[in-house]
Amino acid sequence: MKKFSFLLLLFCNFPLTAQVSESYQNTLNEMILVSGTGESFISSVQQMKKMFKAQFTNLEDKDWNSIEEYINQESFPNLINQLTPIYHKHLTEEDLKTIIAFYNSETGKKFAKKTPLIAQESMMVGQQWGIELGQKIQELVKDSVLKIPRSLD
C-alpha cells in the first residue's frame, strides 16, 4: 500500500516546475515509474529508515510512520520537482516516450528489475577499483618524487 500511495503521489500531488508543460511532467512521471526509479526511491528510504531505527531506538512505530509519510508526501515530490528541470534540459518529451517504450518492452522490464542488483554489484567493483587505482597513483607519485633532482640551495 505504501508503494501505491507513493506512486499515486508521484503522479498527482506536486506542482509543475516552471517552464515545463503538464504533458512533459506527466511523461516524466511515467518514465520514473516504468524505469524502476520510483521503486529505487522507496527502497532507499526503507534502507535509511532501517539504519535510523537502529540508531534511534526510543522512537515508536507511529513516529517512524509519520516520518515515512512526510517523505512520501513532501520529500519525494520535492525531489522530483528539483530533478524535472534537469531532465527537461537534456531530454525532450519525445525522448521520454521512447525511453518509456523501451521500459515497457520485455528487455526494458528485465533491465529495470535488474538495475538495482547491477548497481549494487558494480558499486563494490568500483570501490575496489578505486582503492587499487589510488594505491597505484600513490606509488607513481612516490617514484616520480624520488626521481626529481633536488636543487642545491
Side-chain angles (χ1 to χ4, degrees), residues 128-145:
Q128 184 60 39
W129 174 80
I131 290 168
E132 292 170 6
L133 180 61
Q135 290 170 344
K136 184 63 177 177
I137 290 171
Q138 286 179 341
E139 287 175 28
L140 294 170
V141 167
K142 184 178 176 185
D143 290 347
S144 294
V145 169

Side-chain angles (χ1 to χ4, degrees), residues 87-99:
Y87 279 93
H88 193 253
K89 179 181 173 183
H90 297 285
L91 298 170
T92 66
E93 186 170 355
E94 202 54 45
D95 294 331
L96 295 177
K97 289 177 181 179
T98 302
I99 293 167

Side-chain angles (χ1 to χ4, degrees), residues 62-115:
K62 67 178 179 147
D63 298 317
W64 290 110
N65 291 339
S66 294
I67 291 168
E68 192 169 348
E69 185 175 323
Y70 162 78
I71 292 167
N72 289 337
Q73 291 182 358
E74 294 186 36
S75 185
F76 278 138
N78 186 36
L79 174 62
I80 299 304
N81 274 336
Q82 291 176 48
L83 293 175
T84 298
I86 297 168
Y87 279 93
H88 193 253
K89 179 181 173 183
H90 297 285
L91 298 170
T92 66
E93 186 170 355
E94 202 54 45
D95 294 331
L96 295 177
K97 289 177 181 179
T98 302
I99 293 167
I100 291 166
F102 166 73
Y103 278 110
N104 282 327
S105 72
E106 287 306 310
T107 302
K109 290 175 185 177
K110 181 178 181 179
F111 183 68
K113 183 177 180 179
K114 297 292 185 177
T115 295

Side-chain angles (χ1 to χ4, degrees), residues 24-47:
Y24 186 92
Q25 187 74 55
N26 290 337
T27 305
L28 176 60
N29 290 339
E30 184 179 354
M31 194 274 300
I32 288 171
L33 177 65
V34 298
S35 70
T37 303
E39 290 291 329
S40 293
F41 289 155
I42 292 167
S43 179
S44 295
V45 168
Q46 293 304 318
Q47 289 174 351

